[in-house]
């Protein structure tokens, strides 16, 4: 009886607080509660938010969890699991769309920062290509390969064809190590140099190859792995 009274009207109060002040400063379990409101109607979800964070270790762990693992938590339906699982991709689409509008790269660090942001929520190794014009303005962003958790091949031909099709003057690529360090392997270095050798005769500069993990990235240009033009 006491617990029910404690949470009585909690949804209304939390919605009102978010309406007036936004999400800034809210505990992450409250933010997760607010998300759960959208798939679980007329029911207190405070305990479920706490259970999810405890089960997956963090708020981000909940959003990175698979649909099947989410559904193992009592109270999580297929609809809720699908919604939670889709959120990182939604965030990534928002970021890509917002930053793609007229972005011009002024230095190599901006290229790395932009590319690393494209891997939010990606749980398998993926290769992403961005193409730039003469003014270093972004003219195209493409996923050119999707692999497994531990491997993806760099598709040199596809990168070259894509760059030519959009009239790129320079390109940069990135791939992620979802469960590893943000460091290039010997295979990464070899494949990158092969790509550079394919692009250079066409007058297209390989600006960088960025290796990304969850919270860090390494620029192969700044680390000295790329050939000097």
């Amino acid at each position: 009886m006491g617990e029910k009274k404690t949470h009585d009207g909690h949804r209304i109060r939390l919605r009102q607080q978010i309406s007036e002040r936004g999400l800034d400063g809210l505990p992450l379990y409250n933010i997760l509660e607010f998300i759960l409101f959208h798939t679980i109607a007329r029911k207190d979800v405070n305990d479920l938010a706490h259970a999810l964070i405890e089960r997956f270790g963090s708020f981000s762990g909940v959003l990175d969890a698979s649909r099947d693992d989410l559904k193992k938590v009592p109270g999580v339906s297929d609809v809720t699991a699908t919604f939670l699982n889709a959120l990182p991709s939604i965030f990534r689409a928002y970021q890509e769309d917002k930053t793609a509008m007229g972005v011009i790269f002024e230095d190599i660090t901006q290229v790395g920062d932009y590319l690393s942001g494209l891997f939010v929520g990606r749980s398998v190794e993926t290769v992403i290509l961005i193409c730039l014009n003469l003014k270093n303005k972004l003219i195209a962003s493409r996923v050119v390969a999707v692999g497994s958790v531990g491997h993806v091949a760099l598709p040199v031909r596809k990168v070259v064809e894509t760059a030519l099709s959009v009239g790129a003057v320079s390109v940069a690529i990135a791939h992620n190590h979802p469960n590893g360090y943000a460091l290039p392997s010997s295979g990464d270095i070899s494949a990158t140099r092969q790509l550079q050798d394919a692009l250079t005769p066409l007058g297209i500069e390989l600006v960088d190859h960025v290796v990304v993990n969850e919270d860090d990235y390494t620029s192969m240009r700044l680390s000295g792995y790329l050939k000097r033009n």
Side-chain angles (χ1 to χ4, degrees), residues 1-7:
M1 294 292 289
E3 183 178 353
K4 182 177 181 181
K5 186 176 181 180
T6 299
H7 293 296

Side-chain angles (χ1 to χ4, degrees), residues 53-127:
I53 290 176
E54 182 177 352
R55 167 66 177 80
F56 297 106
S58 63
F59 174 80
S60 59
V62 175
L63 301 190
D64 287 338
S66 70
R67 287 176 62 250
D68 288 341
D69 285 342
L70 287 166
K71 287 161 63 176
K72 292 175 183 177
V73 178
V76 177
S77 66
D78 183 68
V79 171
T80 297
T82 299
F83 185 68
L84 290 172
N85 187 248
L87 286 175
S89 296
I90 294 171
F91 299 154
R92 185 174 67 242
Y94 166 81
Q95 184 67 20
E96 289 178 12
D97 182 69
K98 184 174 181 178
T99 56
M101 295 185 292
V103 62
I104 296 176
F105 299 105
E106 296 181 0
D107 57 48
I108 198 70
T109 302
Q110 288 184 344
V111 173
D113 291 344
Y114 178 83
L115 282 166
S116 63
L118 302 182
F119 288 88
V120 175
R122 297 189 189 275
S123 57
V124 297
E125 289 205 15
T126 304
V127 180

Side-chain angles (χ1 to χ4, degrees), residues 37-214:
F37 288 171
H38 295 81
T39 60
I40 302 175
R42 297 182 299 277
K43 181 180 178 182
D44 178 62
V45 293
N46 182 274
D47 289 343
L48 179 56
H50 281 282
L52 283 164
I53 290 176
E54 182 177 352
R55 167 66 177 80
F56 297 106
S58 63
F59 174 80
S60 59
V62 175
L63 301 190
D64 287 338
S66 70
R67 287 176 62 250
D68 288 341
D69 285 342
L70 287 166
K71 287 161 63 176
K72 292 175 183 177
V73 178
V76 177
S77 66
D78 183 68
V79 171
T80 297
T82 299
F83 185 68
L84 290 172
N85 187 248
L87 286 175
S89 296
I90 294 171
F91 299 154
R92 185 174 67 242
Y94 166 81
Q95 184 67 20
E96 289 178 12
D97 182 69
K98 184 174 181 178
T99 56
M101 295 185 292
V103 62
I104 296 176
F105 299 105
E106 296 181 0
D107 57 48
I108 198 70
T109 302
Q110 288 184 344
V111 173
D113 291 344
Y114 178 83
L115 282 166
S116 63
L118 302 182
F119 288 88
V120 175
R122 297 189 189 275
S123 57
V124 297
E125 289 205 15
T126 304
V127 180
I128 296 178
L129 164 73
I130 60 171
C131 299
L132 314 178
N133 66 12
L134 190 60
K135 296 181 179 180
N136 292 325
K137 182 178 180 180
L138 180 68
I139 56 175
S141 176
R142 302 279 192 276
V143 174
V144 291
V146 178
S148 63
V149 172
H151 176 74
V152 67
L154 176 58
V156 172
R157 181 174 179 178
K158 187 171 184 178
V159 170
V160 171
E161 290 176 349
T162 303
L164 289 172
S165 71
V166 299
V169 171
S170 58
V171 301
I173 59 169
H175 81 281
N176 58 329
H177 291 168
N179 296 321
Y181 297 104
L183 295 172
S185 66
S186 58
D188 293 336
I189 296 169
S190 175
T192 302
R193 289 176 175 170
Q194 290 177 25
L195 176 59
Q196 195 173 23
D197 287 341
L199 290 169
T200 299
L202 301 173
I204 301 173
E205 179 187 4
L206 178 59
V207 174
D208 206 351
H209 182 172
V210 176
V211 183
V212 182
N213 72 357
E214 277 191 359

